[in-house]
Amino acid sequence: MKKLWKCSVCGYVHEGEEAPEKCPKCDAPKDKFVQLSDEDANKVYMSDRTNDIHMEIVKLAGRISELCEEGININLDPPCLEAFKRSKDEAWVIKQRAKAEMEGHMKKGKW
């Protein structure tokens, strides 16, 4: 497993044998990086794919919401309109659930 280094200024995580000369996000110098423990680095690697999946779910929920808005604007008939409104509300819940899960991962060091 490669070493992971965390910028103590902005939280950026760098992968490599040593910390970068400066942070790619905030330009903090090399001495502001701390090497993550093997346990914390493993959390980052283990959660990488699930975080990607959650981000994709957020994106898809946004697309569902856009489609529902289009259906609402067409306003074909009351049952159809109600279906689009309910689906749009459900997409919001799905999006927020995925975002909350990612926030939980970050609080546990799984970013």
Side-chain angles (χ1 to χ4, degrees):
M1 179 168 51
K2 293 182 183 176
K3 296 178 184 175
L4 293 182
W5 304 83
K6 181 180 177 186
C7 176
S8 62
V9 175
C10 72
Y12 176 83
V13 176
H14 172 79
E15 180 182 62
E17 286 305 310
E18 56 185 60
E21 291 303 314
K22 67 177 186 172
C23 179
K25 183 176 182 294
C26 73
D27 292 329
K30 183 177 189 168
D31 66 347
K32 294 294 183 182
F33 277 83
V34 232
Q35 184 178 349
L36 294 180
S37 68
D38 288 344
E39 180 182 348
D40 286 342
N42 191 43
K43 286 179 187 177
V44 172
Y45 285 120
M46 294 285 292
S47 64
D48 190 53
R49 180 62 187 140
T50 57
N51 287 337
D52 286 347
I53 292 169
H54 286 298
M55 287 188 295
E56 187 66 23
I57 288 170
V58 168
K59 180 180 169 184
L60 291 170
R63 181 68 181 128
I64 289 168
S65 184
E66 291 170 3
L67 291 169
C68 290
E69 191 62 40
E70 183 180 349
I72 289 167
N73 290 335
I74 291 170
N75 195 10
L76 179 64
D77 58 45
C80 189
L81 180 65
E82 183 59 27
F84 284 129
K85 286 180 178 179
R86 290 180 63 192
S87 294
K88 185 176 179 184
D89 291 344
E90 291 164 0
W92 173 260
V93 171
I94 291 167
K95 181 178 177 181
Q96 296 309 312
R97 185 183 304 127
K99 287 166 57 178
E101 185 62 23
M102 287 187 290
E103 180 184 22
H105 285 185
M106 288 186 278
K107 286 179 180 176
K108 294 175 186 173
K110 300 187 247 176
W111 63 96

